[in-house]
Amino acid sequence: MNCLESWPEPVVRVQHLFDSGIQVIPDRYVKKPLERPGSVEPAPSEDNIPAIDMKDLYSEDASLRRRTALLIDSACREWGFFQVVNHGISHELMARTHEVWYQFFHLPLEEKQKYANLPSTYEGYGSRLGVEKGMSLDWSDYFFLHYLPVGLRDQNKWPSLPVSCRELVGEYSREVVKLGGKLMKVFSTNLGLREGYLQDAFGGDDEIGACLRTNYYPKCPQPDLTLGLSPHSDPGVMTLLFPDENVPGLQVRHDGKWVTVQPLPNAFIVNLADQLQIMSNGNYKSVEHRVIVNAKKERVSLAYFYNPRGDIVIKPAEPLVSEEHPALYPAMTFNEYRLYIRTKGLHGKSQVESLVNSDSLCRLN
Ligand code: OGA
Ligand code: NI
């Protein structure tokens, strides 16, 4: 049997583990000492990812437009992570969508179990990534769904309760995908490519992938021993995250330290992911991040993954490849690429790094 057809052991919902009143977390969630939240000296608390005001991108003043594009370029090069305000998405829509997911996770277990997911597509209600028996687990549950391409969208797999969920997710998705498209244009131009280059190379408007993972991080009686999400870079093109503004938790690796993101009100956190590192031939890098949990507050975040179409070959953009700058990564489809994470779970940046100069395929043609 294909190892992605079923989970190797019964799935435990972290939320219900917490609700059972345990004071000591099971060993499966206890990280090795060097992986625990406090094992590395934290970055100074005033460190934060750059903030970008997107309204200036569309200013009548060309120098302001140019300056904003340059700010985005340096955020991409120096951090791979930034937050955007004045991004054009209704704050009310964001708040209502966040709230509806909060309510979903507080439905009775039997209701959520109707959407229990499998590792073949990961769509639905889940509590682990990876199918290795006995592997370390993270302190979170999630719901994963496809919005694009339309051929993968199946609203029957989205929660039917709360009643407004499907409609809100549809509306929210449409808006976030639009924002993603705007950023792709800016990234293309900043890389010296024509404006539509990245969007086309990743599959075009109709075939690009967009999926939502809503993360639910329950309170944790021993937050110093575990992680809500282990260190990883996102496998796709970029991620647009609506974090929980009231509960910090996301940490970004920067200069070897973990910087805790302080979100601005109504901001989206944007991070570059592995396929953009590959397509930009290493000009841009995906960045490792993780989530810590706490004893006092649960946390809900909405991560929108902007992905390449699954079956087209992704490789460094030809205009960015030359004799002095040979292709650093081999050509591969996203379906092939993400099999690794789906099988083995989250392991920092090991996958994209393992590809660098891996073999002769690294030279284009
Ligand atoms: C993710 C992720 C961060 C967060 O879902 O890939 O990194 O704050 N989420 O939940
Ligand atoms: Ni992530």
Side-chain angles (χ1 to χ4, degrees):
M1 189 171 80
N2 180 324
C3 73
L4 291 179
E5 276 169 23
S6 64
W7 299 112
E9 53 217 343
V11 173
V12 176
R13 305 302 175 185
V14 181
Q15 182 177 15
H16 296 274
L17 190 60
F18 175 78
D19 288 345
S20 71
I22 52 160
Q23 294 302 311
V24 174
I25 63 174
D27 287 348
R28 293 288 296 276
Y29 299 90
V30 176
K31 302 294 170 189
K32 296 190 195 115
L34 285 175
E35 294 167 3
R36 293 178 193 167
S39 72
V40 187
E41 187 202 341
S45 58
E46 65 275 14
D47 275 16
N48 201 4
I49 58 174
I52 311 271
D53 189 336
M54 282 190 72
K55 87 172 173 328
D56 295 339
L57 264 183
Y58 306 100
S59 160
E60 305 221 319
D61 177 346
S63 67
L64 210 51
R65 291 202 300 271
R66 169 113 196 97
R67 210 187 65 184
T68 310
L70 283 176
L71 285 175
I72 294 179
D73 190 53
S74 37
C76 289
R77 288 176 198 273
E78 283 160 35
W79 285 82
F81 249 96
F82 53 95
Q83 49 185 328
V84 292
V85 294
N86 290 320
H87 41 62
I89 301 185
S90 146
H91 299 170
E92 200 218 332
L93 175 63
M94 294 166 74
R96 285 195 306 161
T97 311
H98 194 267
E99 175 64 23
V100 93
W101 281 109
Y102 179 90
Q103 289 169 1
F104 170 80
F105 285 106
H106 287 85
L107 290 171
L109 181 59
E110 313 82 73
E111 181 60 31
K112 292 177 289 195
Q113 290 291 35
K114 293 181 188 163
Y115 303 93
N117 75 349
L118 289 173
S120 45
T121 68
Y122 277 88
E123 287 169 284
Y125 181 45
S127 298
R128 65 185 283 165
L129 275 170
V131 291
E132 287 177 351
K133 201 165 178 197
M135 70 189 290
S136 166
L137 297 176
D138 290 339
W139 194 260
S140 54
D141 302 317
Y142 62 85
F143 198 99
F144 183 70
L145 60 86
H146 287 293
Y147 179 71
L148 288 180
V150 175
L152 286 184
R153 188 187 307 168
D154 181 356
Q155 298 208 15
N156 292 319
K157 294 184 180 165
W158 304 4
S160 64
L161 290 177
V163 280
S164 55
C165 188
R166 288 183 181 163
E167 195 187 327
L168 276 172
V169 167
E171 211 179 315
Y172 180 82
S173 301
R174 198 174 59 232
E175 293 297 312
V176 175
V177 165
K178 232 192 284 172
L179 173 58
K182 289 182 189 167
L183 288 166
M184 294 279 271
K185 288 184 181 168
V186 181
F187 295 160
S188 295
T189 317
N190 281 344
L191 285 165
L193 302 167
R194 73 178 161 77
E195 196 178 67
Y197 189 100
L198 290 175
Q199 182 82 351
D200 291 345
F202 285 126
D205 291 343
D206 295 331
E207 290 297 325
I208 203 136
C211 6
L212 174 65
R213 189 167 76 209
T214 308
N215 298 296
Y216 179 77
Y217 304 97
K219 287 185 261 187
C220 179
Q222 295 180 296
D224 300 340
L225 299 184
T226 191
L227 290 168
L229 212 49
S230 290
H232 65 283
S233 57
D234 295 337
V237 177
M238 79 175 142
T239 305
L240 296 159
L241 178 84
F242 182 33
D244 196 320
E245 289 171 9
N246 302 313
V247 192
L250 173 63
Q251 296 188 318
V252 175
R253 201 201 269 288
H254 185 64
D255 291 342
K257 295 198 171 126
W258 289 104
V259 173
T260 303
V261 172
Q262 311 292 343
L264 291 168
N266 305 303
F268 274 94
I269 315 278
V270 180
N271 65 280
L272 310 185
D274 296 348
Q275 304 306 307
L276 196 52
Q277 174 168 340
I278 293 169
M279 182 73 73
S280 73
N281 202 22
N283 280 291
Y284 288 169
K285 301 264 189 341
S286 63
V287 177
E288 227 179 322
H289 52 285
R290 68 179 188 181
V291 176
I292 56 172
V293 290
N294 73 85
K296 296 209 176 75
K297 282 189 175 161
E298 63 204 311
R299 179 171 182 270
V300 172
S301 72
L302 276 48
Y304 230 105
F305 301 117
Y306 208 86
N307 290 333
R309 167 179 161 164
D311 58 359
I312 53 171
V313 171
I314 304 298
K315 60 180 186 179
E318 288 189 26
L320 303 178
V321 175
S322 64
E323 219 148 276
E324 293 126 88
H325 300 283
L328 292 174
Y329 310 94
M332 193 185 280
T333 68
F334 186 55
N335 285 342
E336 287 165 338
Y337 188 88
R338 73 172 161 193
L339 206 54
Y340 174 97
I341 215 170
R342 292 190 161 188
T343 314
K344 298 196 181 296
L346 304 175
H347 293 282
K349 285 201 58 167
S350 58
Q351 187 181 12
V352 69
E353 280 167 1
S354 74
L355 296 177
V356 179
N357 290 327
S358 59
D359 57 38
S360 56
L361 278 172
C362 291
R363 299 279 176 271
L364 264 189
N365 306 317

